[in-house]
């Protein structure tokens, strides 16, 4: 996806993907030209405390070396993001074509250290609002945002074993690398893939980059 995004940007900006806290990111920062200007785009849907701490450490390091930085808002804060996810779900629904009518859609977010046992009240409210927006696209289905871990068990176990459940990883926008927690697999769970191939997602990211950097044609 990053390669395709760079192709479409055609030199207006150059994107590189790094994992926060990684040695690769530390080394990349050390190689920056003096007084570089960077634009930071977090890819997770719901920021965790650990992520915010790592971002703070990164920006402090950049400022210490007199680099400037700006944040690009998360894709999930944009109205178009719901169309991206809805289109992704529809494409996977056509691919799986379950024999029984789909009643449940589960969207997993990466495990946050502070949410291992479930979301706190603030994050739970955010999940509710996201679910409510997507519900408009799938009025006959229940929409669930869950941690990819044991805390999701009560919801997963509440579904009938005869009904198909479509699930996917909304944080995994750069490749189908996330896997279902070992406590959760069920025969009626149908995995969605291909989020990183979404043309709508790439267009959304391109628009955000253009708008923030001021390089739009």
């Amino acid at each position: 996806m990053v390669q395709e995004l760079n192709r479409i940007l055609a030199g207006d900006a150059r994107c590189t993907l790094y994992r926060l806290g990684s040695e690769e990111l530390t080394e990349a920062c050390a190689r920056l030209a003096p007084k570089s200007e960077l634009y930071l785009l977090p890819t997770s849907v719901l920021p965790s405390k650990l992520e915010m701490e790592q971002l703070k450490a990164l920006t402090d390091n950049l400022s210490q070396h007199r680099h400037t930085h700006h944040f690009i808002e998360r894709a999930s804060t944009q109205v178009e993001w719901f169309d991206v996810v809805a289109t992704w779900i529809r494409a996977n629904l056509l691919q799986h074509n379950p024999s029984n009518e789909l009643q449940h859609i589960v969207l997993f977010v990466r495990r946050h250290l502070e949410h291992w046992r479930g979301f706190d009240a603030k994050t739970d409210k955010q999940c509710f609002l996201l679910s409510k927006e997507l519900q408009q696209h799938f009025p006959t289905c229940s929409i669930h945002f869950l941690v990819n871990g044991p805390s999701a068990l009560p919801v997963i176990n509440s579904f009938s074993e005869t009904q198909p459940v479509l699930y996917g990883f909304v944080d995994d926008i750069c490749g189908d690398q996330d896997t279902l927690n070992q406590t959760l697999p069920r025969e009626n769970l149908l995995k969605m893939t291909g989020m990183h191939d979404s043309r709508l997602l790439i267009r959304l990211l391109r628009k955000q980059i253009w708008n923030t950097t001021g390089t739009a044609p």
Side-chain angles (χ1 to χ4, degrees):
M1 188 191 77
V2 174
Q3 182 178 358
E4 177 64 12
L5 187 56
N6 280 326
R7 186 189 69 80
I8 294 175
L9 288 169
D12 294 328
R14 179 69 183 175
C15 301
T16 307
L17 178 68
Y18 293 104
R19 185 176 295 278
L20 282 172
S22 67
E23 291 185 8
E24 185 182 13
L25 177 57
T26 302
E27 293 171 358
C29 290
R31 293 194 302 267
L32 289 172
K35 298 183 179 179
S36 294
E37 185 175 19
L38 296 94
Y39 291 84
L40 309 177
L41 171 59
T43 60
S44 64
V45 172
L46 299 170
S48 65
K49 291 179 182 177
L50 176 61
E51 179 182 324
M52 298 308 294
E53 291 170 359
Q54 290 175 327
L55 282 173
K56 178 66 165 53
L58 172 61
T59 55
D60 285 348
N61 181 42
L62 294 174
S63 298
Q64 182 180 355
H65 291 86
R66 298 185 180 182
H67 304 305
T68 58
H69 66 273
H70 314 273
F71 276 101
I72 301 175
E73 292 189 12
R74 298 168 191 273
S76 56
T77 65
Q78 308 301 300
V79 173
E80 299 95 324
W81 184 79
F82 295 101
D83 291 328
V84 171
V85 177
T87 302
W88 173 53
I89 292 172
R90 291 191 189 101
N92 276 274
L93 182 57
L94 290 173
Q95 177 182 338
H96 286 289
N97 191 24
S99 55
N100 293 331
E101 183 179 356
L102 184 70
Q103 294 186 359
H104 308 289
I105 299 169
V106 175
L107 301 173
F108 285 109
V109 298
R110 289 193 177 131
R111 179 177 68 84
H112 297 167
L113 294 178
E114 68 270 24
H115 298 149
W116 179 240
R117 299 184 181 277
F119 293 130
D120 57 23
K122 180 181 178 181
T123 308
D124 194 54
K125 182 178 180 180
Q126 288 179 285
C127 292
F128 172 77
L129 294 175
L130 292 173
S131 300
K132 188 176 180 181
E133 288 292 333
L134 280 174
Q135 197 79 59
Q136 299 180 35
H137 292 270
F138 303 94
T140 62
C141 297
S142 65
I143 311 289
H144 305 269
F145 279 83
L146 301 174
V147 175
N148 183 20
S151 62
L153 273 172
V155 175
I156 299 297
N157 289 337
S158 70
F159 301 147
S160 169
E161 295 182 0
T162 63
Q163 291 294 333
V165 177
L166 211 58
Y167 79 92
F169 304 99
V170 287
D171 285 330
D172 199 14
I173 68 173
C174 295
D176 297 318
Q177 299 176 355
D178 281 344
T179 57
L180 196 62
N181 183 274
Q182 60 183 2
T183 65
L184 301 178
R186 302 290 186 278
E187 289 187 2
N188 59 327
L189 294 181
L190 307 175
K191 182 181 179 180
M192 294 189 288
T193 59
M195 168 72 90
H196 62 289
D197 290 329
S198 169
R199 304 302 301 175
L200 291 178
L201 177 60
I202 292 175
R203 289 183 195 134
L204 171 57
L205 296 176
R206 178 190 62 182
K207 186 196 79 169
Q208 289 180 267
I209 292 170
W210 270 348
N211 289 346
T212 306
T213 60
T215 56

